[in-house]
Amino acid sequence: MSSKPVLLALLGAGRSGQALANALVQFAGMQLVAVADPIPARRGQVVAQHAGAREFADFSELLAVGVYDAVVVALPNDLLVAAACAALKRGIHVLIESPVARTTKELKQLIRAANSSGKAVLPAMTRRFGASEVCAKAALMKQLVGEIRLVKLSHTRTRGVPAGTGWYQSPERSGGGALLDLGLPLIDLAMHLTASGPASGALASGALASRVLPTRVFASRIKPTDEATSVEHAASATFQLDNAVVELSVAWQLNQPPQQQGVVARLHGTSGCLDVYTRDGAVLYRGFGTKNEHKLSEPKLSKLQHPKLAGLALMSKHFRDCMTGKTTPSPSLDEALRALTVVEACYKSMSK
């Protein structure tokens, strides 16, 4: 006799929402039975792929009439917490899109709801689950670069301001611009990679997470000159995680050499350097030294072996294991709160 199918609902049928839901169907064996989105064409795309799925214009209507085991919440930022809390009250597990919440106050509300429900809530910080990131974490857990002193993070697009339905540009609805959109996942990744303490498994964060010092945050931003009320399109920040200084730069659009577009995550330690995003995946440099007083010796380059399971497949399996109690969410909501605390500290610094 086959086991009972895990019933999945999708709240928000944009590109990211559909990708997350399709991954749970493909890799975790769930059955997508309902979708909520105010745009009929997007609902139609989902129904065309998942025969028999019911469609709703509003997420509250979907939650009111159906029985679901899990939901993907991929709505505009101002609706994320409300939808997730509504699902938790109905005893439904939640996979929630980044940034999870606009403010730490909202996120604390979600944490209380999750604790009361006893259901799993997994923030969809997809950078944690990539092949390069997973093998980078494994290398760092083995202390292959020593103690981290400097982390350089960057995600800059030459042209790539999110369009959507217009809510991205509204500070009230989005909660922030490029820093929140592009920077938060990188901050979470930095905290994950530099976390200290005992851990097991590629996703484990360790018992002692990196201690954030928001009083040491300095940040600046660039807004479009013709859109005074818009969110920032670019931002930079410097802050500290334990003994490591973090330098962050993000931009939705930036006039730059084409080869500089993309994502950078480099961790410089006392005995080596780890470059997460290269054409060869994550790579490790060790053996720094001097041949003589005038010439440096070339460090040894090591390509890290990619894991067999990564990306959305790994996230889907992890979420399913969280639902069944085999493991706990990584990142947790508390970890998302720490990352969002840094973002808020950056915005506070920008406003001075």
Side-chain angles (χ1 to χ4, degrees):
M1 181 180 294
S2 61
S3 59
K4 181 181 177 182
V6 177
L7 304 182
L8 175 68
L10 172 59
L11 312 185
R15 183 174 60 181
S16 62
Q18 289 193 41
L20 291 171
N22 289 337
L24 290 175
V25 171
Q26 180 180 355
F27 301 114
M30 299 187 186
Q31 181 180 349
L32 184 59
V33 296
V35 55
D37 195 286
I39 301 176
R42 297 205 306 203
R43 301 198 303 267
Q45 291 175 349
V46 175
V47 173
Q49 295 181 62
H50 305 276
R54 300 179 64 184
E55 53 180 302
F56 302 83
D58 185 83
F59 74 84
S60 59
E61 296 175 3
L62 179 152
L63 293 174
V65 302
V67 177
Y68 317 101
D69 299 299
V71 296
V72 171
V73 180
L75 295 162
N77 292 355
D78 58 327
L79 299 176
L80 289 172
V81 169
C85 287
L88 290 170
K89 288 181 180 179
R90 290 165 174 79
I92 305 171
H93 300 281
V94 175
L95 176 64
I96 184 168
E97 178 65 293
S98 175
V100 184
R102 293 172 297 177
T103 65
T104 55
K105 182 178 179 181
E106 278 190 340
L107 188 44
K108 289 175 182 178
Q109 176 187 348
L110 178 56
I111 291 173
R112 290 192 293 269
N115 291 339
S116 298
S117 71
K119 297 298 179 179
V121 181
L122 177 64
M125 299 290 190
T126 55
R127 290 204 177 279
R128 283 204 182 196
F129 298 86
S132 294
E133 295 89 336
V134 170
C135 61
K137 177 64 176 178
L140 291 167
M141 291 304 299
K142 295 176 182 177
Q143 298 291 314
L144 294 183
V145 299
E147 186 175 351
I148 303 301
R149 297 299 194 199
L150 175 66
V151 181
K152 294 186 177 182
L153 306 170
S154 176
H155 188 174
T156 56
R157 302 170 181 166
T158 301
R159 292 293 181 271
V161 179
T165 56
W167 63 267
Y168 284 98
Q169 302 296 320
S170 167
E172 292 76 20
R173 297 203 65 190
S174 66
L179 177 64
L180 186 63
D181 179 36
L182 304 179
L184 179 68
L186 285 175
I187 292 171
D188 172 74
L189 178 63
M191 296 176 71
H192 174 57
L193 294 179
T194 60
S196 58
S200 60
L203 298 176
S205 298
L208 301 174
S210 294
R211 183 167 54 94
V212 178
L213 305 174
T215 56
R216 299 185 183 182
V217 169
F218 173 79
S220 60
R221 61 187 167 190
I222 301 173
K223 286 188 175 183
T225 56
D226 58 341
E227 299 178 32
T229 60
S230 179
V231 296
E232 78 284 351
H233 282 199
S236 62
T238 302
F239 56 91
Q240 190 147 352
L241 295 175
D242 288 335
N243 294 323
V245 174
V246 181
E247 298 176 354
L248 170 70
S249 60
V250 293
W252 279 339
Q253 60 176 5
L254 184 69
N255 294 334
Q256 61 184 336
Q259 67 271 20
Q260 291 185 5
Q261 174 170 280
V263 186
V264 172
R266 297 191 182 103
L267 297 93
H268 305 264
T270 53
S271 59
C273 173
L274 181 61
D275 196 353
V276 179
Y277 300 111
T278 76
R279 291 182 179 180
D280 297 316
V283 297
L284 180 68
Y285 293 90
R286 301 185 73 197
F288 290 87
T290 57
K291 289 184 177 180
N292 53 56
E293 60 180 334
H294 302 293
K295 188 175 181 179
L296 294 175
S297 61
E298 289 293 329
K300 180 182 178 181
L301 168 64
S302 300
K303 299 177 183 179
L304 301 182
Q305 184 175 1
H306 281 190
K308 294 181 179 179
L309 187 67
L312 291 179
L314 177 60
M315 174 182 281
S316 300
K317 181 181 182 300
H318 180 62
F319 182 50
R320 182 67 183 265
D321 288 345
C322 292
M323 291 174 58
T324 58
K326 291 182 180 180
T327 189
T328 56
S330 176
S332 66
L333 287 177
D334 286 336
E335 289 175 307
L337 180 62
R338 285 193 287 271
L340 192 54
T341 298
V342 176
V343 171
E344 284 195 348
C346 289
Y347 281 127
K348 184 177 180 180
S349 175
M350 292 174 183
S351 64
K352 292 181 180 179

